[in-house]
Amino acid sequence: MSYTKLELQPLFDKIDELKPAFIERLSKAVAIPSVSGDESLRPKVVDMAHFLVKELTSLGFEDIQVKELGIQPPPVENPKLELPPVVLARLGNDKSKKTVLVYGHYDVQPALKEDGWATDPFTLVHDSVKDILFGRGSTDDKGPVMGWLNVVEAHNELKWELPVNLVCCFEGMEESGSVGLDKLIAQEAEAYFKGVDTVCISDNYWLGTTKPVLTYGLRGCNYYQVSIKGPGADLHSGIFGGIIAEPMTDLIKVLSQLVDGQGRILIPGIAEMIAPLTDKENALYDDIDFSVEELNAASGSKTSLYSEKQDILKHRWRYPSLSVHGIEGAFSGGGAKTVIPSKVIGKFSIRTVPDIESNKLDELVIDFVNKKFAELNSPNVIKAELIHDGAYWVSNPFNDAFTAAAKATEDVWGVKPDFTREGGSIPITVTFEQSLGTDVLLLPMGRGDDGAHSINEKLDVSNYINGCKTLGGYLHYYGRG
Amino acid sequence: MSYTKLELQPLFDKIDELKPAFIERLSKAVAIPSVSGDESLRPKVVDMAHFLVKELTSLGFEDIQVKELGIQPPPVENPKLELPPVVLARLGNDKSKKTVLVYGHYDVQPALKEDGWATDPFTLVHDSVKDILFGRGSTDDKGPVMGWLNVVEAHNELKWELPVNLVCCFEGMEESGSVGLDKLIAQEAEAYFKGVDTVCISDNYWLGTTKPVLTYGLRGCNYYQVSIKGPGADLHSGIFGGIIAEPMTDLIKVLSQLVDGQGRILIPGIAEMIAPLTDKENALYDDIDFSVEELNAASGSKTSLYSEKQDILKHRWRYPSLSVHGIEGAFSGGGAKTVIPSKVIGKFSIRTVPDIESNKLDELVIDFVNKKFAELNSPNVIKAELIHDGAYWVSNPFNDAFTAAAKATEDVWGVKPDFTREGGSIPITVTFEQSLGTDVLLLPMGRGDDGAHSINEKLDVSNYINGCKTLGGYLHYYGRG
């Protein structure tokens, strides 16, 4: 038990004492179906913003601002649809303290009982036998957002000052592409967010179900499409089969040459850009609590390309991958349709890692695709293009923020956290880092099996309550560090 | 001008005289939206059957039977949906005459004004400048069906006896797979259809727009699907990309090896089964009115694999082709979705020709697909299977029925018809041939640009009226032959 932990014990005890109130707060939040992807529920997303304002106000936050982001750009059904606001709030403005920006989102994924939920998704249900809270948003991301409020409430009850100045940035469009947020962050970088020393995002998950983690890296994603256009309209294969060059034949030949069955990308020049694996990084993988069995459980299959934990984690976190997602314009229904599609658009993406240069990657990919198509001597017309990209992110897991979070984690959970990366991207991480010029820490609250975007989303009560303690402890260690 | 034509001149004159009445008859038929593929319009399909019964009755047909086919099997929205009936009718039962069965269908493809029609699809519009009739079903297949009734009306007006016994078989499910018809034909082969000498189907089109044709061959179609299953559910490519074997990668590798960019099927053993091209058959292609420009106009592109007419026609009619139609289960929408589909089902079909043995083909295809998948050493699970097949058909274009139709065509149009085949299948052709043990003649009324399944479907008045003459002339030549 560290020296500091003794000092934090009253905070941890208070958090335990307030557990019923904290569950009640999360319950109120979950009851608001703030689904950003459903236009008809947009008023509920706005209600959720106002709920936050009310909570922040009663907790004593200052300078609470509801930042409107304007009209949602197309595609939308309602051309006048307003984006949900970003809620900003601040607690403390003491120049002698460090300033921590905490980010979370108050919108959620869609959920319908008939999707297969065991309980009403918008009622937080406490399974007291398993001590688990079920409900949409419980873990993604209302639990963590309430977590920051809970930390403040515990301090208020203890009549403790926060050890840092706290700046909150809570958005309502995260599940729908964070539309408008990049611009707002850029605008506020030298205004509301001026003086921020570090950013903490609690919007991801432990790797597994038993060991807490801190996350220091994310892969990026460059998403490409290859359109091949032939006939002026879809044709009947009886009449045209065998006498015209079919776009689908060409597309499949091109797509088949991008990656091999072992997941190796076949486009020359990419492997050379990958940062070499240092001994220090290599050693990190040995301690991590993970196994091929966990991967198999998560994928619901025995389709792993690797059997060793280290290989799996490296290929998830630090090597690029290429997935072919599908084809737009081809027949995609059930049964048999004898169509020759006139224009087909193959979709694939590459997960990017240090030190792949995004523009260089695009050039390699597009050139390769065009070259492979040219080899077919097809009369059809190709267009290969990038349609979306998001940068990878890697932090120093030994910096002040990570060190503080690691101490807090050990105090609360009794184990050192695993330092993990993630295969997916959280674009806002890079945005904060670049716009504010600060470090970012990903400090997850929930477990790997919480089912963030699935039915029966849950948050274990222990994760919720210990998560609050960890967030609070992190602020203290960071504030004093 | 042949001797016989002089005898038929009164019939041809009468048909010209009755033109307004014939257009009126077609107009009434087109006004009934008998869309078999739209369950909500099923009552209209039944109305159309009753319209036919009324017409047939007033024309003096005998033994008119409305054959109910029972409940439509799944997939249907209404589990009690009744199939449209087959309408049977007979005119004449003279043992000294030959008996001709004429088949047509009274259902039509779906059509909505908003699909892009210039006029209401269910109002027959006579463009008097171009002398064209526009409307859904005008050419497919209400024009030809009315054609047979018109021929009888002209005979009645002339107080002529028909030169043959005429048996009508009009169905209402052709555009939706002719469900129930095979069974009915088998049942009636030795009953209502007993004594039928030949079958005439007027449900296809001229190859081009200027020269009448008689059709003596159709390709068959064997339709396959290849399912590849990996993970238990769709996965996120950020988390799983690079560490599991993706079903889409495997499927695309398999599909890419089926056919080359020049349309050559790469599955060994198929080419060896194709009937050799005889000198006699080879010579038939030289006279046919067709060009690569017509193909380009039809495909709306310059994607032809061949520049010579003979090559194009041979590859449309007498060589097999393989088309990849699409993939079920993969991402098929617009935009970017970072999914790893858990189960993908590739769909492809092979157009079959003499002397490909269907079962042998299935074996070659499925073995090849399994072999190519095995070479990938994938942990995923494959299932390759035939999901639908329809036999090819080739007739002797010099038999009595074709000879009679050729004479009638020459009388009416002043040119010898082209003897054509088609790349697509008309499964009912083979059913009639096999169930009744008779020849089948395909005697088209409309032109190649009628747009049977498209917007602005049309039938030129000249094709409608001359078509009636040709049908009538065919009955006379065949009856006397």
Side-chain angles (χ1 to χ4, degrees):
Chain A
M1 194 177 286
S2 66
Y3 168 74
T4 327
K5 183 171 177 196
L6 286 176
E7 286 186 65
L8 293 178
Q9 197 58 50
L11 176 64
F12 295 172
D13 290 343
K14 181 56 75 179
I15 288 172
D16 280 328
E17 185 192 320
L18 290 171
K19 180 163 86 174
F22 292 170
I23 292 175
E24 177 61 18
R25 176 173 282 129
L26 182 55
S27 182
K28 284 180 187 166
V30 166
I32 302 169
S34 52
V35 179
S36 56
D38 182 340
E39 292 188 24
S40 71
L41 289 173
R42 186 59 52 89
K44 298 295 177 186
V45 187
V46 175
D47 285 353
M48 184 65 202
H50 294 141
F51 168 80
L52 279 176
V53 168
K54 193 163 145 270
E55 294 287 303
L56 290 162
T57 305
S58 75
L59 289 167
F61 276 81
E62 304 140 14
D63 195 11
I64 299 170
Q65 296 192 13
V66 175
K67 290 284 187 184
E68 297 298 340
L69 301 178
I71 301 294
Q72 184 168 332
V76 281
E77 292 200 9
N78 171 8
K80 295 184 172 175
L81 189 71
E82 298 265 359
L83 287 164
V86 170
V87 177
L88 301 179
R90 166 192 314 282
L91 191 55
N93 201 2
D94 183 338
K95 299 289 179 204
S96 70
K97 290 180 183 171
K98 291 185 188 167
T99 299
V100 176
L101 186 152
V102 301
Y103 161 89
H105 64 89
Y106 63 81
D107 63 319
V108 295
Q109 281 278 317
L112 295 170
K113 180 82 165 69
E114 50 266 39
D115 293 341
W117 284 72
T119 58
D120 172 32
F122 296 106
T123 302
L124 189 74
V125 174
H126 184 182
D127 178 331
S128 54
V129 177
K130 296 178 180 164
D131 212 22
I132 292 176
L133 302 164
F134 288 94
R136 174 56 87 223
S138 54
T139 194
D140 179 21
D141 186 39
K142 289 177 173 174
V145 168
M146 296 308 120
W148 293 114
L149 307 190
N150 296 341
V151 167
V152 171
E153 182 173 357
H155 279 80
N156 290 349
E157 292 280 318
L158 288 167
K159 301 194 190 306
W160 282 12
E161 253 190 38
L162 277 190
V164 297
N165 303 312
L166 193 65
V167 173
C168 297
C169 174
F170 298 141
E171 72 154 323
M173 274 298 276
E174 197 272 347
E175 301 295 1
S176 301
S178 292
V179 181
L181 186 62
D182 283 10
K183 197 173 154 201
L184 179 105
I185 293 172
Q187 281 169 355
E188 300 298 339
E190 290 301 315
Y192 205 98
F193 301 155
K194 191 170 169 67
V196 165
D197 295 294
T198 195
V199 174
C200 181
I201 298 176
S202 184
D203 187 24
N204 67 315
Y205 311 94
W206 294 357
L207 183 60
T209 58
T210 57
K211 202 169 169 196
V213 311
L214 301 176
T215 304
Y216 70 97
L218 299 166
R219 292 197 291 188
C221 183
N222 284 23
Y223 201 109
Y224 303 93
Q225 67 179 26
V226 182
S227 313
I228 300 187
K229 190 177 170 357
D234 286 359
L235 300 175
H236 188 287
S237 68
I239 303 173
F240 293 92
I243 58 174
I244 65 154
E246 302 187 17
M248 200 52 184
T249 304
D250 294 344
L251 179 64
I252 282 182
K253 288 202 184 288
V254 170
L255 295 179
S256 71
Q257 297 176 77
L258 298 173
V259 62
D260 75 11
Q262 277 62 53
R264 288 181 290 251
I265 298 174
L266 303 173
I267 303 167
I270 297 177
E272 290 79 351
M273 293 195 285
I274 302 167
L277 181 68
T278 63
D279 290 344
K280 191 175 174 191
E281 184 198 331
N282 200 22
L284 278 178
Y285 296 96
D286 294 335
D287 292 334
I288 291 171
D289 181 28
F290 193 69
S291 68
V292 67
E293 287 72 27
E294 281 186 66
L295 171 58
N296 288 342
S299 80
S301 64
K302 291 186 175 173
T303 59
S304 177
L305 293 168
Y306 304 96
S307 54
E308 294 304 317
K309 170 181 80 175
Q310 287 87 340
D311 291 327
I312 295 169
L313 295 177
K314 287 173 193 167
H315 283 274
R316 171 180 283 183
W317 297 345
R318 64 115 46 231
Y319 290 117
S321 63
L322 189 155
S323 297
V324 180
H325 307 293
I327 298 174
E328 182 183 350
F331 173 49
S332 60
K337 186 177 176 187
T338 53
V339 67
I340 297 176
S342 61
K343 181 181 178 185
V344 286
I345 308 174
K347 312 281 181 93
F348 66 94
S349 68
I350 295 179
R351 295 284 161 177
T352 59
V353 296
D355 296 317
I356 290 176
E357 203 188 309
S358 183
N359 292 342
K360 174 76 180 162
L361 177 68
D362 298 343
E363 196 183 312
L364 289 170
V365 169
I366 291 167
D367 285 355
F368 181 81
V369 164
N370 286 330
K371 182 170 161 244
K372 290 296 161 189
F373 177 74
E375 288 171 9
L376 300 175
N377 279 314
S378 172
N380 295 318
V381 177
I382 192 170
K383 183 174 183 192
E385 61 194 320
L386 175 83
I387 56 171
H388 167 83
D389 63 355
Y392 55 78
W393 168 77
V394 180
S395 181
N396 170 11
F398 309 106
N399 71 18
D400 288 351
F402 277 88
T403 303
K407 281 188 199 162
T409 302
E410 194 174 356
D411 282 355
V412 173
W413 293 97
V415 291
K416 288 184 196 298
D418 281 341
F419 286 88
T420 64
R421 289 159 69 164
E422 290 205 358
S425 59
I426 305 177
I428 203 64
T429 311
V430 180
T431 305
F432 275 119
E433 188 180 72
Q434 294 179 346
S435 297
L436 306 191
T438 64
D439 295 324
V440 179
L441 161 70
L442 301 188
L443 176 47
M445 175 179 273
R447 302 184 187 185
D449 66 350
D450 280 355
H453 288 199
S454 302
I455 57 170
N456 303 319
E457 178 181 344
K458 61 93 174 167
L459 178 64
D460 294 77
V461 171
S462 61
N463 280 60
Y464 185 43
I465 298 305
N466 284 340
C468 293
K469 293 178 191 171
T470 308
L471 298 179
Y474 153 72
L475 295 180
H476 279 267
Y477 283 114
Y478 183 74
R480 298 168 189 193
Chain B
M1 192 179 288
S2 67
Y3 169 73
T4 329
K5 181 169 179 198
L6 287 177
E7 284 186 66
L8 293 178
Q9 198 57 51
L11 176 64
F12 294 172
D13 291 343
K14 180 58 75 180
I15 288 172
D16 280 328
E17 183 192 320
L18 291 171
K19 181 163 86 174
F22 293 170
I23 292 176
E24 176 62 20
R25 175 173 283 131
L26 182 55
S27 182
K28 284 181 187 166
V30 166
I32 303 169
S34 51
V35 179
S36 57
D38 180 341
E39 292 189 23
S40 71
L41 289 174
R42 186 58 52 89
K44 298 296 178 185
V45 187
V46 175
D47 285 353
M48 183 65 202
H50 293 139
F51 169 79
L52 279 176
V53 168
K54 195 164 141 269
E55 293 288 301
L56 290 163
T57 305
S58 75
L59 289 167
F61 277 81
E62 304 141 13
D63 195 10
I64 298 169
Q65 296 192 14
V66 175
K67 289 285 188 184
E68 298 296 343
L69 301 178
I71 301 293
Q72 184 168 333
V76 281
E77 292 199 11
N78 170 8
K80 293 184 173 174
L81 188 71
E82 297 265 359
L83 287 164
V86 171
V87 176
L88 301 179
R90 165 193 314 283
L91 190 56
N93 201 1
D94 183 338
K95 299 289 180 206
S96 71
K97 291 180 183 169
K98 290 185 188 167
T99 299
V100 176
L101 185 152
V102 299
Y103 161 89
H105 64 90
Y106 63 81
D107 63 320
V108 296
Q109 282 278 318
L112 295 170
K113 180 84 165 69
E114 50 266 40
D115 292 341
W117 283 72
T119 57
D120 172 32
F122 296 107
T123 301
L124 190 74
V125 173
H126 184 181
D127 178 330
S128 54
V129 177
K130 296 178 180 163
D131 211 21
I132 291 176
L133 301 165
F134 288 95
R136 175 55 88 222
S138 56
T139 195
D140 182 19
D141 188 38
K142 288 177 174 176
V145 168
M146 296 307 120
W148 294 114
L149 306 190
N150 296 342
V151 167
V152 171
E153 183 174 356
H155 279 79
N156 289 349
E157 292 280 317
L158 290 167
K159 301 195 189 310
W160 284 11
E161 252 191 37
L162 278 191
V164 298
N165 302 312
L166 194 65
V167 173
C168 298
C169 175
F170 298 140
E171 72 153 323
M173 275 296 277
E174 198 272 346
E175 301 295 1
S176 301
S178 291
V179 181
L181 185 63
D182 283 10
K183 196 173 154 200
L184 179 105
I185 293 172
Q187 281 169 357
E188 299 298 338
E190 290 301 315
Y192 204 99
F193 300 155
K194 193 172 169 66
V196 165
D197 294 295
T198 195
V199 174
C200 181
I201 298 177
S202 184
D203 187 24
N204 67 316
Y205 312 94
W206 294 357
L207 183 59
T209 59
T210 56
K211 202 167 167 198
V213 311
L214 301 177
T215 305
Y216 70 97
L218 300 165
R219 291 197 291 189
C221 183
N222 284 23
Y223 202 109
Y224 302 93
Q225 68 179 25
V226 182
S227 313
I228 299 186
K229 189 176 172 355
D234 285 359
L235 300 176
H236 189 287
S237 68
I239 303 173
F240 294 92
I243 57 173
I244 65 153
E246 302 188 15
M248 200 53 185
T249 305
D250 295 343
L251 179 63
I252 282 181
K253 288 202 183 288
V254 170
L255 294 179
S256 72
Q257 297 177 76
L258 299 173
V259 62
D260 75 11
Q262 278 61 51
R264 287 181 291 250
I265 298 174
L266 303 174
I267 303 167
I270 297 177
E272 291 79 349
M273 290 195 287
I274 302 167
L277 181 67
T278 62
D279 290 344
K280 192 175 174 190
E281 185 197 328
N282 199 24
L284 278 178
Y285 297 96
D286 294 334
D287 292 334
I288 290 170
D289 181 28
F290 194 70
S291 69
V292 68
E293 288 73 27
E294 281 187 66
L295 170 59
N296 288 342
S299 81
S301 64
K302 292 185 175 177
T303 58
S304 178
L305 293 169
Y306 304 96
S307 55
E308 296 301 318
K309 171 180 82 176
Q310 286 87 342
D311 290 328
I312 295 169
L313 294 177
K314 285 172 194 169
H315 282 275
R316 172 180 282 183
W317 296 347
R318 63 113 49 231
Y319 290 117
S321 65
L322 189 154
S323 297
V324 180
H325 306 294
I327 298 173
E328 182 182 351
F331 173 48
S332 61
K337 186 177 178 186
T338 54
V339 65
I340 297 176
S342 61
K343 182 183 177 184
V344 285
I345 307 174
K347 312 279 181 94
F348 66 95
S349 68
I350 295 180
R351 294 284 161 176
T352 58
V353 296
D355 296 317
I356 291 175
E357 202 188 308
S358 182
N359 291 341
K360 175 76 180 162
L361 177 68
D362 298 345
E363 197 183 311
L364 289 171
V365 169
I366 291 167
D367 284 356
F368 181 82
V369 165
N370 286 330
K371 182 170 160 245
K372 290 295 162 190
F373 177 74
E375 287 171 10
L376 299 175
N377 279 315
S378 171
N380 295 320
V381 177
I382 193 170
K383 184 176 183 191
E385 61 193 319
L386 175 84
I387 56 170
H388 167 80
D389 63 356
Y392 55 79
W393 168 76
V394 179
S395 181
N396 170 12
F398 308 107
N399 70 18
D400 290 351
F402 276 88
T403 303
K407 281 188 197 164
T409 302
E410 195 174 354
D411 283 354
V412 172
W413 293 96
V415 291
K416 286 183 198 298
D418 281 341
F419 286 87
T420 63
R421 289 158 71 162
E422 291 204 359
S425 58
I426 306 178
I428 203 65
T429 310
V430 180
T431 305
F432 276 120
E433 188 180 72
Q434 294 178 345
S435 297
L436 307 190
T438 64
D439 294 324
V440 179
L441 161 70
L442 301 189
L443 176 47
M445 176 178 271
R447 301 184 187 184
D449 66 349
D450 280 355
H453 289 197
S454 302
I455 58 169
N456 302 320
E457 178 181 343
K458 60 92 175 168
L459 178 64
D460 293 78
V461 172
S462 61
N463 281 61
Y464 186 42
I465 298 305
N466 283 341
C468 292
K469 292 176 192 171
T470 308
L471 298 179
Y474 153 72
L475 294 181
H476 279 267
Y477 284 114
Y478 183 75
R480 295 167 191 196

